[in-house]
Amino acid sequence: KHSGYYTLTDSRGSRHFYTKAVQRTAPLTKDVLMISLLSVPGEKICYKFYGEACTEWGYNTVFLAIDKTVELNARGIFNEAVYKELMRLGVKQALFHPLQYALFMTMEGSKLLFWESTQIGYVIYPSWLEKIYNIGLLKNLLRLTIFLITLFGVIAGVKFMFRKWRLLPDVTSPGHERAQITFFIFYFIFLYAVFYSSITVITRYAFPLVSLYMIVIAIVINEILLNRN
């Protein structure tokens, strides 16, 4: 509660959104496309090819909004009005090149599939475990394996959902529970991905989805076993 009113006192959301909207709708170049694509599995891959340009694209997400805020202040727009204006300008900018913006959103949202990492921010490991996790082959293989399992579960889950869509309103047919559960899981994942990919995704943002990925994978495996029987 702030000054007697419930309000969002952190302006980062509108600043991030505006900056990413401007970045994503700028003239498309091969380098920008490759930086965004290589950042999906992890920023270290991007760094190997493009260096600090990856940081400017992925993590310096407020610098354009700061310049715009100075401009708005000069026009007599301050405080909460600035945040509303940044959101309005961000939406306007995204609609200026909607397909290009959607392309970058899709790539950003794909990061949610790469949820396994041995280098998670704000997590401190014992020294012996940190040495193991610093082995390049091990950490990369672990991340790739979990990604492939998750990707398999998501693709197979979507396929199962579309194959069983007639069971969604049905509460009497066998298997309707699995179809309904799968639908609502993907509905939540979709909304979650849309909100976060409109700004930026880092590894720990995917953690709330991990349990849902596990449920989908379990449903898919169960469906495969049932079909075999």
Side-chain angles (χ1 to χ4, degrees):
K1 198 170 183 180
H2 180 68
S3 300
Y5 296 92
Y6 287 100
T7 180
L8 292 175
T9 58
D10 193 335
S11 63
R12 288 180 297 176
S14 57
R15 289 181 178 181
H16 285 314
F17 178 71
Y18 173 79
T19 296
K20 297 307 291 186
V22 173
Q23 284 183 324
R24 292 171 179 175
T25 55
L28 187 62
T29 66
K30 179 183 176 182
D31 286 344
V32 168
L33 188 62
M34 290 304 299
I35 287 173
S36 182
L37 186 61
L38 291 174
S39 296
V40 172
E43 65 276 3
K44 290 186 179 180
I45 296 178
C46 182
Y47 276 118
K48 289 182 180 180
F49 296 93
Y50 290 96
E52 290 301 318
C54 301
T55 300
E56 183 176 341
W57 172 261
Y59 294 101
N60 291 342
T61 54
V62 297
F63 64 95
L64 293 176
I66 292 175
D67 294 339
K68 178 59 69 172
T69 298
V70 173
E71 178 186 325
L72 293 174
N73 291 161
R75 290 163 45 191
I77 302 175
F78 298 95
N79 301 328
E80 190 173 340
V82 170
Y83 313 146
K84 292 181 179 179
E85 184 66 9
L86 288 176
M87 290 297 295
R88 187 189 70 82
L89 293 173
V91 172
K92 181 180 178 181
Q93 192 70 31
L95 294 177
F96 184 65
H97 287 301
L99 294 180
Q100 183 173 314
Y101 184 83
L103 172 64
F104 284 112
M105 271 192 68
T106 301
M107 286 190 282
E108 192 70 25
S110 299
K111 294 179 181 180
L112 292 170
L113 297 174
F114 289 89
W115 57 268
E116 176 58 55
S117 175
T118 60
Q119 310 293 324
I120 303 170
Y122 306 106
V123 176
I124 300 176
Y125 301 107
S127 57
W128 62 269
L129 185 59
E130 187 174 358
K131 291 180 181 179
I132 295 175
Y133 279 165
N134 283 333
I135 300 175
L137 179 61
L138 175 64
K139 65 181 181 182
N140 292 333
L141 184 61
L142 178 63
R143 187 170 175 85
L144 177 62
T145 301
I146 298 300
F147 160 73
L148 292 175
I149 293 173
T150 305
L151 182 63
F152 162 76
V154 169
I155 293 176
V158 171
K159 183 179 178 181
F160 167 76
M161 182 177 62
F162 279 101
R163 194 171 68 248
K164 302 289 186 178
W165 68 270
R166 292 184 179 85
L167 296 179
L168 293 179
D170 192 346
V171 294
T172 58
S173 299
H176 72 275
E177 298 96 339
R178 294 193 299 276
Q180 292 167 351
I181 291 172
T182 305
F183 171 80
F184 283 107
I185 285 177
F186 277 106
Y187 177 70
F188 179 82
I189 291 175
F190 173 77
L191 292 180
Y192 191 93
V194 167
F195 282 119
Y196 273 98
S197 61
S198 64
I199 302 178
T200 189
V201 171
I202 57 179
T203 300
R204 65 178 180 273
Y205 292 174
F207 290 168
L209 300 180
V210 173
S211 58
L212 299 182
Y213 290 148
M214 296 297 101
I215 293 173
V216 170
I217 292 171
I219 290 175
V220 168
I221 293 175
N222 184 69
E223 190 68 15
I224 292 174
L225 295 177
L226 286 176
N227 289 338
R228 286 185 176 180
N229 292 334

